[in-house]
Amino acid sequence: MRSQVSRNSSTSIESLIDRWWKLSQRSSYFSNDRIYALASPVGGAICVLRVSGDELIPLLKSLGFSASLETFNPKTLCRLKIISPVTQLPIDDAMFSYFQGPKSYTGEDVIEFFLHGSSAVVSELIEALRYLGCRQALAGEFSFRAVRNGKLTITQAQAVAELISAKNTEAVSVAIEKLEGTQQAFLVEIAEELRNLAAFGELSIDFSDQDVEEVSLPRLQKRLEALLRKLERLQGSFSRGQLIQDGVKLAILGLPNAGKSSFFNYILGEDRSIVSTQAGTTRDVIRETLTLKGSLGKSVTLRIQDTAGVRGATDEVEKIGVARSIKAAIEADLLLIVTDPTDEESRREWPNFIQALSAGINLQGRVAEGRVFLVHTKKDLQLNESESTARNLFIDQTRVSFSKVIEVSSLSGEGVSQVVDSVVLRSLELMGREQGEIILTRLDHLQAVSETISHLSRGLKTRTEDLFAADVRQGLVSLGPVIGDTLPDDILGKIFSEFCIGK
Ligand SMILES: Nc1nc2c(ncn2[C@@H]2O[C@H](COP(=O)(O)OP(=O)(O)OP(=O)(O)O)[C@@H](O)[C@H]2O)c(=O)[nH]1
Ligand SMILES: [Mg+2]
């Protein structure tokens, strides 16, 4: 980059490049540089670029802003013909909002430019900002500054990142509740009680021979036990948090040629899996992630898997495929078993299929939990009387009482919305989150809570006050990353580096 610019620029530009170079070398979350980042992609009608730093009015002036500060109304949209301080040429006829610190997202002065979205406009403004001493923000640096300046807690900043990457309505609800501070309040309360218990534990060392009931070890341990139960409930919520965040695993299984891949493709809305009249077309597990919205307006993310038809294969490769299908069934949260009632061989082979599946998973148990849907495909094909009774045959033959039996056509789409509704509804039930319930969604938070639990469990069994106090204090330290207390710089840097640039 250096050589490219110096080849066609004057010496003064070269010294500028040197300045940029030095700036980029000392980029760190802990600097006070003026930072900029795109808040939306280039190429649309409007592109949003944000700048944050101390004292940004002079920077605005350097870009051509000349209105009197008395009449200038911050936080409104203002029009500005941006002039390049480098070339003195116009960059854009744009709009901007100015938020004077500390009343801004970062707590510093913030300008949001609403530019015409061409890359030419955007790159000219970026060049001008660099000339004026700004540098490209690091990932999450705006949120980092918001935390540093007391505008957000770490949990809230993480919630901002989660909100940006939220894939479904539940993930949005959880992130918004975190942003509103509900989760923080719950954890701060727990931390406060731990602090009290540790202090009482230390105090009780002095009173241990005087039998003061209030600070007696059994009394303190009883209070600790109540806290421990709360933390264990929180720890247990992680598996549901993962379903919300990462998605519910749904495996499509069935005999060869049942119509699994056709149904998979229909749900995805694209020709993802190969479909053919040949039995045994799909050999591997094909995975896709998609978000489905049910008729009640709530959406869930599904990690949907098309699998090889399960049969007693002789072909070496097909055998591996069948083993993978069973593995997918074992790992799935929900199973969608696809059958073709129009196919005589399918009806004959059905008991063998159920047997093969049952050898891998507890099918009856899954059915009892409402995790298995039976989908009869090819509804568009005319069934004669005996074929029509074949649908029930699938159920009668194996005495598996599937909780939901739906007929669909992957050609016309008939019945598919019913499957979607049932899957979304059941997925929401599996997530089982009540409105406002605190739920763990991050692995690092799970680890922190689990560590806290193990310290506190020790404290529950200890026979001496000093060990009790030490265990509670250790528990408190372990909880630090979740409540955002006392985080070393390297951990802080790591947290924010996971964010997207511009947030
Ligand atoms: N009329 C009709 N034909 C269908 C429907 N679904 C699938 N088919 C046809 O049934 C045949 C098998 O479909 P696939 O989707 O490849 O079946 P599969 O279960 O994935 O098969 P394998 O991968 O071999 O296990 C193809 O010829 C499809 O066009 C349907 O709803 N209606
Ligand atoms: Mg297939």
Side-chain angles (χ1 to χ4, degrees), residues 215-268:
V215 293
S216 72
L217 188 57
R219 184 83 171 250
L220 295 180
Q221 283 176 324
K222 199 152 189 235
R223 277 170 68 178
L224 182 64
E225 193 173 1
L227 274 190
L228 201 54
R229 297 290 95 86
K230 281 189 191 176
L231 285 170
E232 280 168 352
R233 264 201 304 280
L234 186 65
Q235 183 188 38
S237 71
F238 180 70
S239 56
R240 290 179 289 139
Q242 264 193 318
L243 294 181
I244 294 173
Q245 209 76 314
D246 301 338
V248 174
K249 273 194 191 163
L250 172 83
I252 304 178
L253 275 106
L255 282 157
N257 246 356
K260 301 178 292 298
S261 300
S262 305
F263 183 75
F264 177 72
N265 288 349
Y266 190 91
I267 293 231
L268 283 178

Side-chain angles (χ1 to χ4, degrees), residues 38-79:
L38 289 171
S40 70
V42 179
I46 302 289
C47 178
V48 182
L49 190 147
R50 291 164 126 191
V51 183
S52 181
D54 288 331
E55 302 283 321
L56 291 187
I57 289 289
L59 179 127
L60 265 180
K61 288 185 171 167
S62 306
L63 292 169
F65 177 70
S66 57
S68 118
L69 285 184
E70 280 82 57
T71 56
F72 173 55
N73 193 2
K75 287 192 179 170
T76 54
L77 264 186
C78 308
R79 190 168 174 181

Side-chain angles (χ1 to χ4, degrees), residues 261 274 281-282 306-307:
S261 300
I274 298 174
T281 307
T282 307
D306 181 22
T307 63

